[in-house]
Amino acid sequence: MSSFNLLKSIAEAHGSLRKSEQKVADFVLGNPNEVIHMRIVDLASEANVSEPTVVRFCRALNYDGFQDFKLTLAQGLASNTNYEQFSLNTKDTVMEFKEKIFDSMIGNLLNIKEQLDTETVEAAINSLTKARRVEFYGFGASAPVCTDAAHKFHRLKVSSTSYSDPHMQAISAVSLDERDVVVAISQTGRTKDLLHTVNLVKDTGTTVISLCPSNTPLAEASTISIHIDLEEDKDLSTLMSSRVLHLVVIDVLAVGVAMKLGPGLIDHLKTIKRSLRSLRQNDKRPLLRKPSNFPESER
């Protein structure tokens, strides 16, 4: 767990802690860099609590003791993963909002990397590898993610496509069966049309893998749910890092499937690369050539 996640966990657990433990939490949240250099007696003194209270505080956060807690905090701070979510101001300069957006993106990527459950991802990879057909469903900003995902899996010789139209999704959904897999992608996990389609898919026995926030209707309706939980500036609908996070998770799944399919796939990918060469412009050639039947003077 990074320092960002640790501090976030402390803030979220604050209300469930005892009053004396809340004093420890308040001091840690306000002085994380100082805490990593403290002894337990120092922290107890600064928070005006007893040493056993500090131990109880650490155990309330699922740490064996103060040293275990402090080590996690120190490692997170050392790796500089404490990126804050951005909130733009109309007075921000290009340099300022550029830094905010990149820092927020980096922070979200690191957080999701730690949050992803390995067993869940592995289960999704196994299902995708065995699938007769894989279809990707999503709306709005998730639609281009689905298109990119279908393209990646098509390269892996996996029969795949994507749909962002509710009617096409519904037609597709009732045409699938237990041999197929649907990957439903949503930034909110609450899109009504997508939930309708997923319910149609479930009636056919098809496996549903979702990329969406936890504790949402889509997550609960899925066979395998990969949780993408993050905080974003809700007023900036076009500046959302969830699309990038979804793309990265799709990459993880695609690589996992490629590894499962074995060495033979490498030869196939090389064949694809060779077949695309003729579609790319050689920099040494002129962009346009006049037909050879033109007089020399007009070429």
Side-chain angles (χ1 to χ4, degrees), residues 92-298:
D92 283 345
T93 64
V94 173
M95 175 63 74
E96 288 172 336
F97 68 69
K98 179 196 73 173
E99 292 292 325
K100 288 181 178 181
I101 292 172
F102 271 87
D103 283 352
S104 176
M105 182 68 70
I106 293 169
N108 283 326
L109 283 167
L110 292 171
N111 291 334
I112 296 302
K113 182 187 74 169
E114 294 187 355
Q115 290 174 21
L116 283 181
D117 181 71
T118 302
E119 292 184 1
T120 300
V121 173
E122 188 169 0
I125 290 171
N126 288 335
S127 294
L128 291 165
T129 303
K130 298 173 184 177
R132 177 191 64 168
R133 180 173 179 78
V134 178
E135 301 199 343
F136 297 87
Y137 298 164
F139 295 105
S142 298
V145 177
C146 292
T147 301
D148 181 80
H151 174 260
K152 283 186 171 68
F153 277 79
H154 190 58
R155 278 175 170 260
L156 302 180
K157 299 181 75 172
V158 176
S159 179
S160 58
T161 190
S162 66
Y163 293 111
S164 58
D165 176 86
H167 296 89
M168 289 302 298
Q169 283 186 11
I171 294 171
S172 168
V174 297
S175 304
L176 303 174
D177 60 36
E178 65 277 359
R179 296 171 294 175
D180 307 312
V181 171
V182 163
V183 180
I185 303 174
S186 173
Q187 296 173 349
T188 65
R190 301 179 182 278
T191 305
K192 290 183 178 179
D193 285 340
L194 187 57
L195 289 169
H196 172 69
T197 306
V198 166
N199 285 328
L200 291 176
V201 170
K202 289 178 65 179
D203 289 341
T204 66
T206 303
T207 298
V208 178
I209 300 172
S210 64
L211 273 62
C212 65
S214 59
N215 301 315
T216 59
L218 179 57
E220 294 170 1
S222 305
T223 313
I224 302 171
S225 181
I226 299 176
H227 301 156
I228 310 293
D229 293 315
L230 70 157
E231 297 177 6
E232 295 180 305
D233 190 328
K234 303 303 182 183
D235 296 327
L236 300 169
S237 58
T238 59
L239 296 175
M240 300 181 74
S241 54
S242 55
R243 285 171 295 176
V244 175
L245 295 171
H246 289 155
L247 287 168
V248 173
V249 173
I250 289 294
D251 280 346
V252 172
L253 296 176
V255 169
V257 170
M259 293 178 70
K260 289 279 187 180
L261 292 177
L265 182 64
I266 301 300
D267 293 333
H268 171 67
L269 294 176
K270 289 179 179 178
T271 301
I272 291 177
K273 186 175 182 179
R274 287 195 298 269
S275 71
L276 294 176
R277 285 176 184 168
S278 62
L279 302 178
R280 293 174 179 147
Q281 175 65 41
N282 187 329
D283 292 340
K284 295 180 180 179
R285 301 175 184 174
L287 292 178
L288 294 175
R289 285 181 174 232
K290 291 191 176 182
S292 58
N293 59 345
F294 273 64
E296 187 69 26
S297 60
E298 295 183 18

